Amino acid sequence: MNTLSISIAALIIIISILFAPIQIFDPFHSVFQPIFNSVDTLASLQLRVVETIRGSHLATQPYNVEAQYPIPDETMSVSRAIRKVFLAVEQAEGAGAKVRRSIGTPQLRNFSPFLMLDHFSVKPGAGFPDQTEKRSRAGRYKQATVKAELENVELTKPPPLPTYSPHRGQETITYLLQGGIDHEDFAGNAGSLNPGDLQFMTAGRGIMHAEMPRQNADGSANVGLQLWVDLPMELKLCEPRYRDLRASEIPQVTTDDGKVTIKVISGQSHGVDSVKDLAYTPVWILDVTMKPGSKMVQPLPEGWNAFAYTLEGDALFGDGESKRKVEQYHNVVFEPEGTVVHVEVEPSAVKEARFVLVAGTPLNQPVVQYGPFVLNSKDDVYQAIMDYQGFANGFERGRDWESEIGKSMKH
């Protein structure tokens, strides 16, 4: 090995140490997110450490996603292999809430563009209203405290948990399965989700909102899924927006002589297309119900990351010898290679199987997450927190905002 090769190897080792995976404590969801993947080569370092678009270059035009939605070639059917299957363990979160988190945990991270998946069950009285008294954020996000956490310094006392929900740099997709949820934001948007409805929220440069589950007459919980999706770097600072998708707007398709029903929330299935322009980051979401003895072959865009989360019953995922039986509340993670996913339900099954099949285009960019702020560098996250604290650069409308949901909590 010559002197030049030794010097390059030494430089790579030094860079790998400097940019080894760093984790930031998430005070909102008790989740640890890595900042950078391990740096293996100088080329990968150059690819991952990129300059973030600043406020003077705000994205104002819709992201062109047409080229990002490749239609699968059904003539070249190659079954996707299963990478892993794991149980989403139920945990308590907040007052009266139970959550099964299957993305954003040690079981599954770095699964771009997906940041988090929660299967939540929230009883009346819990939720995320904004703070109802006059708010002073200086005590919540002191600069020294935030800087210490971003630099991975152990703190003796974490920041207090706010009761409203700010966001920057990501999209959230909420799918209500049971009950009802009221939502409101500081831009004047307000509405309600009923069973089967979805809300697509693009946080962009900044949004503050409140969510509150309904008081169901029978005292039952409000149940649903919430998926956090990363935004492309060029859209991190786009203007925030909402899009509610009603259950009545979602097209359905049946296959296998009516034994398989697919709600095409986003994407395409068996020649049926979903409603367009729901989110900036290309994501397919299919809600599938299968009767005993049924089979399904679903094409997916090749190279996209994909998973299935089982809501009810048991199903067999995979093809041939790689077929695996998966029970309720499990996440099935597929390899990116392949064009189709095979699923079947045994004839002897005692009940139907229901699952969501989700796929998304990977974003080749670094991810730095501190709670609800998802950017591409530590400096950008630190700036987001300062903007939020100072009501600037997207958070101006939060200074005097008090939601009707928050007001109702006073009584």
Side-chain angles (χ1 to χ4, degrees):
M1 182 179 292
N2 57 37
T3 304
L4 178 59
S5 298
I6 295 174
S7 299
I8 293 175
L11 180 59
I12 292 174
I13 292 172
I14 293 171
I15 293 173
S16 299
I17 294 172
L18 290 175
F19 291 92
I22 304 173
Q23 294 179 331
I24 297 177
F25 179 63
D26 174 352
F28 294 87
H29 295 282
S30 300
V31 175
F32 288 86
Q33 292 287 349
I35 291 181
F36 295 111
N37 295 325
S38 297
V39 178
D40 301 316
T41 65
L42 291 176
S44 64
L45 173 64
Q46 188 176 17
L47 177 67
R48 291 175 181 139
V49 183
V50 293
E51 183 63 25
T52 303
I53 296 175
R54 298 292 176 178
S56 59
H57 298 86
L58 294 180
T60 57
Q61 298 299 320
Y63 188 49
N64 181 10
V65 300
E66 293 300 324
Q68 300 290 328
Y69 276 91
I71 302 301
D73 183 359
E74 298 187 33
T75 64
M76 299 291 291
S77 179
V78 178
S79 182
R80 285 197 180 212
I82 295 174
R83 181 188 303 177
K84 67 186 301 186
V85 177
F86 61 93
L87 173 68
V89 179
E90 185 176 76
Q91 62 188 43
E93 184 155 316
K98 295 181 179 179
V99 172
R100 294 181 182 272
R101 180 166 298 151
S102 59
I103 298 179
T105 72
Q107 286 280 12
L108 186 59
R109 292 201 187 109
N110 299 324
F111 198 54
S112 178
F114 308 114
L115 301 165
M116 186 184 78
L117 175 65
D118 276 0
H119 183 190
F120 61 84
S121 177
V122 185
K123 294 181 179 179
F128 300 96
D130 62 287
Q131 191 170 345
T132 54
E133 71 273 9
K134 183 175 178 63
R135 298 183 297 274
S136 172
R137 290 170 176 75
R140 297 189 187 90
Y141 285 114
K142 294 181 180 179
Q143 295 188 18
T145 301
V146 172
K147 186 175 181 181
E149 290 202 8
L150 290 176
E151 293 179 354
N152 206 32
V153 177
E154 184 177 355
L155 300 176
T156 57
K157 184 178 180 180
L161 180 68
T163 53
Y164 44 83
S165 186
H167 294 270
R168 174 180 281 182
Q170 85 273 45
E171 296 184 291
T172 65
I173 303 172
T174 304
Y175 185 20
L176 192 65
L177 304 174
Q178 172 186 310
I181 293 179
D182 299 320
H183 63 87
E184 185 180 350
D185 71 14
F186 68 2
N189 300 302
S192 298
L193 296 181
N194 298 307
D197 293 345
L198 291 97
Q199 179 196 84
F200 292 76
M201 184 187 79
T202 302
R205 63 198 298 252
I207 198 166
M208 289 171 57
H209 71 137
E211 295 175 312
M212 184 56 58
R214 298 260 185 85
Q215 298 284 341
N216 300 320
D218 60 358
S220 61
N222 302 280
V223 181
L225 299 171
Q226 187 168 88
L227 179 67
W228 285 24
V229 182
D230 199 11
L231 273 171
M233 184 177 295
E234 59 267 38
L235 289 177
K236 287 291 185 181
L237 299 179
C238 69
E239 290 299 323
R241 69 173 188 174
Y242 272 95
R243 172 66 163 94
D244 285 351
L245 181 66
R246 300 302 174 189
S248 59
E249 297 180 88
I250 301 173
Q252 295 189 20
V253 60
T254 58
T255 65
D256 196 8
D257 296 326
K259 291 185 289 186
V260 177
T261 301
I262 305 169
K263 295 181 181 179
V264 189
I265 295 170
S266 178
Q268 183 187 81
S269 181
H270 298 81
V272 175
D273 292 324
S274 69
V275 174
K276 302 296 184 183
D277 299 324
L278 296 173
Y280 284 136
T281 302
V283 172
W284 284 21
I285 304 174
L286 307 175
D287 183 345
V288 183
T289 301
M290 302 179 64
K291 296 180 179 179
S294 62
K295 296 183 179 181
M296 182 189 79
V297 179
Q298 173 62 46
L300 293 176
E302 191 170 8
W304 282 24
N305 282 327
F307 67 91
Y309 178 75
T310 54
L311 293 166
E312 299 175 15
D314 303 336
L316 296 170
F317 289 85
D319 191 31
E321 296 182 357
S322 64
K323 194 180 300 181
R324 295 183 61 175
K325 185 174 183 178
V326 181
E327 299 177 344
Q328 187 180 28
Y329 305 138
H330 281 69
N331 194 318
V332 184
V333 184
F334 299 99
E335 296 289 357
E337 296 80 16
T339 59
V340 298
V341 168
H342 287 83
V343 191
E344 63 182 88
V345 178
E346 294 175 315
S348 59
V350 297
K351 62 184 298 186
E352 295 179 338
R354 184 184 181 188
F355 58 90
V356 288
L357 180 60
V358 184
T361 182
L363 302 177
N364 195 5
Q365 61 188 31
V367 176
V368 185
Q369 180 174 359
Y370 184 88
F373 305 122
V374 185
L375 286 305
N376 302 117
S377 72
K378 290 192 292 183
D379 287 344
D380 290 323
V381 171
Y382 185 70
Q383 184 61 51
I385 296 171
M386 294 303 100
D387 289 342
Y388 167 60
Q389 179 182 335
F391 309 106
N393 298 323
F395 292 104
E396 292 87 348
R397 288 173 289 191
R399 182 179 297 275
D400 300 313
W401 177 63
E402 183 177 355
S403 73
E404 295 302 317
I405 292 174
K407 292 177 183 177
S408 69
M409 296 295 291
K410 294 180 179 179
H411 307 292

